[in-house]
């Protein structure tokens, strides 16, 4: 059997994915479907850790633009990610997959604090670790938290599950004929300001040689397909001239 290119991955999910067809909150059916995708990847032999955004509940940057203190708004957004992490944990464990939630903001009654060596040990034991509360600091997005945790966990790649099947030269929902990239360099993403992840996250992945794989998590079986190298995605990596 061909050895998979990416053995250990960090899966970054936007909070909006968990809304399903709703406009707000958490849709249990959608969470179960996403958990099923994660379970299938786990059973296929991949090691996984997760970062889930909080935009389905509270978006700190948007709130700060409406008058909230930015620091307070960002902390509120971090708490939203903890709620999402617990929802995903609940779904996975009902499917028989052992998980641990670790929060960058300590809340001992709810989950473990983030401790890198403990997280590594959980993964060595075959558990899925869900990292919550971003980096624990305001002014940093969950994209940056995902890149940071991917580096700390020595992941082979960062998979970003979104509502589109890759990176385009224009918004495919608005521009007819927008072209999808198969591969992109980190430098191209940064210089052209392509909306893959925020610049800090892209730079962190570049510095640590961690490819970013952008794919559509909403499609049934897409995560497994991309992991097997047959799905539709865009891979951002260090492309040598």
């Amino acid at each position: 059997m061909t050895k998979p290119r990416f053995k250990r991955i960090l899966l970054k999910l936007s909070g909006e994915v968990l809304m399903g067809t709703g406009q707000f909150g958490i849709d249990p059916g959608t969470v179960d479907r996403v958990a099923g995708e994660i379970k299938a990847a786990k059973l296929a032999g991949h090691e996984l850790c997760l970062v889930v955004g909080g935009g389905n509940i509270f978006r700190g940057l948007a709130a700060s633009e409406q008058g909230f203190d930015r620091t307070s708004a960002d902390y509120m957004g971090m708490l939203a990610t903890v709620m999402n992490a617990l929802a995903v944990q609940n779904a996975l464990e009902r499917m028989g997959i052992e998980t641990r939630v670790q929060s960058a903001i300590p809340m001992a009654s709810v989950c473990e604090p983030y401790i890198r060596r403990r997280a590594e040990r959980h993964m060595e034991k075959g558990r899925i670790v869900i990292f919550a509360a971003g980096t624990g600091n305001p002014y940093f997005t969950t994209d940056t938290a995902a890149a940071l945790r991917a580096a700390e966990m020595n992941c082979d790649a960062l998979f970003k599950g979104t509502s589109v099947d890759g990176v385009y030269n224009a918004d495919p929902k608005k521009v007819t004929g927008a072209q999808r990239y198969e591969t992109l360099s980190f430098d191209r993403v940064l210089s052209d300001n392509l909306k893959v992840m925020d610049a800090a996250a892209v730079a962190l992945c570049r510095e640590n040689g961690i490819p970013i794989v952008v794919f559509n998590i909403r499609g049934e079986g897409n995560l497994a397909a991309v992991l097997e190298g047959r799905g539709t995605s865009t891979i951002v990596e260090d492309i040598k001239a």
Side-chain angles (χ1 to χ4, degrees):
M1 181 178 293
T2 303
K3 182 180 178 181
R5 180 182 179 188
F6 304 124
K7 171 69 173 177
R8 174 177 287 192
I9 68 167
L10 185 140
L11 175 61
K12 166 61 168 63
L13 297 174
S14 65
E16 287 85 349
V17 167
L18 304 184
M19 295 190 303
T21 57
Q23 300 297 312
F24 177 82
I26 300 170
D27 175 61
T30 300
V31 175
D32 285 346
R33 185 192 62 75
V34 172
E37 298 266 324
I38 296 168
K39 176 182 178 180
K42 171 68 179 171
L43 295 180
H46 297 278
E47 299 175 0
L48 290 100
C49 49
L50 277 68
V51 169
V52 188
N56 56 319
I57 298 172
F58 191 88
R59 187 176 291 280
L61 184 57
S64 70
E65 291 172 352
Q66 296 176 11
F68 273 76
D69 172 73
R70 173 64 188 271
T71 300
S72 297
D74 280 355
Y75 279 122
M76 293 167 71
M78 290 179 220
L79 296 179
T81 72
V82 177
M83 296 172 67
N84 284 339
L86 294 175
V88 174
Q89 178 187 43
N90 181 268
L92 284 169
E93 297 212 328
R94 280 191 283 107
M95 296 177 182
I97 302 298
E98 274 195 284
T99 72
R100 294 292 187 273
V101 173
Q102 290 197 347
S103 171
I105 300 175
M107 45 186 78
S109 298
V110 176
C111 56
E112 295 180 2
Y114 172 67
I115 300 173
R116 182 181 63 84
R117 286 182 177 270
R118 182 182 291 178
E120 288 183 323
R121 185 65 176 143
H122 286 320
M123 295 188 71
E124 289 169 1
K125 290 182 176 180
R127 297 165 182 153
I128 291 177
V129 183
I130 308 173
F131 300 114
T135 66
N137 301 288
Y139 297 95
F140 290 94
T141 67
T142 50
D143 278 352
T144 302
L148 176 62
R149 299 293 181 243
E152 289 178 308
M153 293 297 108
N154 296 308
C155 290
D156 299 317
L158 192 164
F159 276 56
K160 183 170 182 180
T162 69
S163 59
V164 292
D165 59 358
V167 182
Y168 286 76
N169 60 357
D171 188 341
K173 296 179 180 178
K174 298 178 180 178
V175 180
T176 302
Q179 298 295 310
R180 182 178 61 82
Y181 298 101
E182 288 287 337
T183 59
L184 280 168
S185 68
F186 291 114
D187 290 342
R188 174 78 181 279
V189 169
L190 292 171
S191 64
D192 290 5
N193 195 28
L194 297 175
K195 302 301 182 182
V196 177
M197 305 179 84
D198 67 70
V202 175
L204 191 54
C205 286
R206 179 180 63 181
E207 290 167 12
N208 291 278
I210 302 170
I212 302 170
V213 181
V214 183
F215 72 105
N216 186 351
I217 189 65
R218 295 181 185 271
E220 192 75 32
N222 277 1
L223 175 58
V226 173
L227 283 168
E228 292 170 7
R230 56 181 176 83
T232 302
S233 66
T234 297
I235 300 180
V236 182
E237 57 188 342
D238 187 13
I239 299 174
K240 302 297 184 183

